[in-house]
Amino acid sequence: MNAHYRHSNLLNLLNKQGTLSTQQIIEALNISPATARRDINLLHQAGKLRKVRNGAEALYFDVNQPRQRTFSNSNEKQRIAKAASELCQEGESILITCGSTMLMLGEQLCGRKLQIITNYLPLANHLIERNHDDIVILGGQYNRNKAITLSLNTQNETTYIANIMFTSGRGFTKEGLYKTDMIIANSEQQMSAKSGKYVVLLDSSKLGQQVGMLFTKLEEIDILITGKEADPNIIAELQQQGLEVILA
């Protein structure tokens, strides 16, 4: 299989699946691990996919294709996204950050009478393709690795106030929300100051994990939405600290 044909097949698979692990690419295209990694790097550098840890993610989804994504904990994340969407009221302004659960939330909100603010380009593109009426794409320098825009002007930028900000992270304890990516954390820190309510969406596997840096203290978080699979002892500990927890 020549490189052009491999790349075309890989991009078609990503368009249908959303994300693929390196092992899935190896098996689907019947290629070596070295070839799979090389193809991912080349297509990432060409701006045709997003390289992620142990795999690749589509930058754009074909909205006419049935969803067959293989996100980790996909079923739980879909439930979390649905529960999050139920917090949003008609006419509100909603700020959504980056990540697979955020993309699922955007799909839930698409078409509703809501202003959606984001710097996550895969989500923005999805909303545009689906003709969502009110989208604010936060400007700045495009970071291809993260598929987000980063503000270059923190002093005089236009201020958008959101009723709710939805975000995620890598870990969550009674201390608060943990993140590992400094680029994303910096961009979100600017956005969080402009939001009325701060809501964390996190699958249950990340609860009790201290990963990276403490980004948001527990007292600054209004609601945590996680899966019903969550450890009840961890949930009880968080609730005792006064945090509202929604189990999806």
Side-chain angles (χ1 to χ4, degrees), residues 86-125:
E86 293 170 356
L87 296 178
C88 303
Q89 303 298 314
E90 184 173 317
E92 288 187 333
S93 182
I94 308 300
L95 199 161
I96 302 177
T97 60
C98 64
S100 57
T101 309
M102 300 299 125
L103 190 57
M104 294 175 186
L105 173 58
E107 292 174 344
Q108 292 278 345
L109 299 179
C110 187
R112 292 178 55 183
K113 292 182 179 180
L114 296 165
Q115 180 182 73
I116 297 178
I117 306 170
T118 189
N119 68 339
Y120 187 39
L121 295 190
L123 171 58
N125 284 318

Side-chain angles (χ1 to χ4, degrees), residues 118-119 136-142 149-153 157 160:
T118 189
N119 68 339
V136 175
I137 303 173
L138 298 175
Q141 180 177 348
Y142 174 59
T149 55
L150 302 171
S151 175
L152 301 177
N153 181 0
E157 61 185 5
Y160 288 95

Side-chain angles (χ1 to χ4, degrees), residues 188-243:
E188 291 186 12
Q189 194 167 42
Q190 297 173 29
M191 294 187 288
S192 63
K194 306 171 185 177
S195 304
K197 186 175 289 186
Y198 190 90
V199 181
V200 175
L201 313 184
L202 214 61
D203 70 76
S204 57
S205 68
K206 296 171 182 172
L207 298 187
Q209 302 295 317
Q210 290 180 311
V211 183
M213 64 174 181
L214 179 62
F215 177 71
T216 310
K217 294 180 180 180
L218 193 71
E219 57 265 27
E220 298 171 353
I221 299 169
D222 295 289
I223 301 173
L224 166 67
I225 305 179
T226 189
K228 60 187 177 183
E229 301 90 340
D231 185 330
N233 293 324
I234 294 177
I235 297 301
E237 183 178 41
L238 293 173
Q239 290 174 329
Q240 287 171 6
Q241 298 293 320
L243 179 65

Side-chain angles (χ1 to χ4, degrees), residues 71-81 100-101 104 203:
F71 291 129
S72 177
N73 303 319
S74 179
N75 180 269
E76 182 183 0
K77 290 180 178 181
Q78 288 284 5
R79 300 195 315 267
I80 291 169
S100 57
T101 309
M104 294 175 186
D203 70 76

Side-chain angles (χ1 to χ4, degrees), residues 118-203:
T118 189
N119 68 339
Y120 187 39
L121 295 190
L123 171 58
N125 284 318
H126 176 82
L127 295 171
I128 291 168
E129 289 169 353
R130 287 288 183 91
N131 299 314
H132 185 79
D133 283 338
D134 195 348
I135 310 164
V136 175
I137 303 173
L138 298 175
Q141 180 177 348
Y142 174 59
N143 184 289
R144 188 169 64 186
N145 287 338
K146 308 303 177 187
I148 60 174
T149 55
L150 302 171
S151 175
L152 301 177
N153 181 0
T154 60
Q155 295 182 347
N156 299 312
E157 61 185 5
T158 301
T159 300
Y160 288 95
I161 305 298
N163 296 97
I164 307 175
M165 174 175 173
F166 292 102
T167 191
S168 189
R170 295 293 185 181
F172 200 101
T173 70
K174 65 179 181 179
E175 304 301 323
L177 175 67
Y178 289 80
K179 291 180 182 285
T180 56
D181 195 303
M182 292 295 293
I183 293 174
I184 292 175
N186 182 62
S187 70
E188 291 186 12
Q189 194 167 42
Q190 297 173 29
M191 294 187 288
S192 63
K194 306 171 185 177
S195 304
K197 186 175 289 186
Y198 190 90
V199 181
V200 175
L201 313 184
L202 214 61
D203 70 76

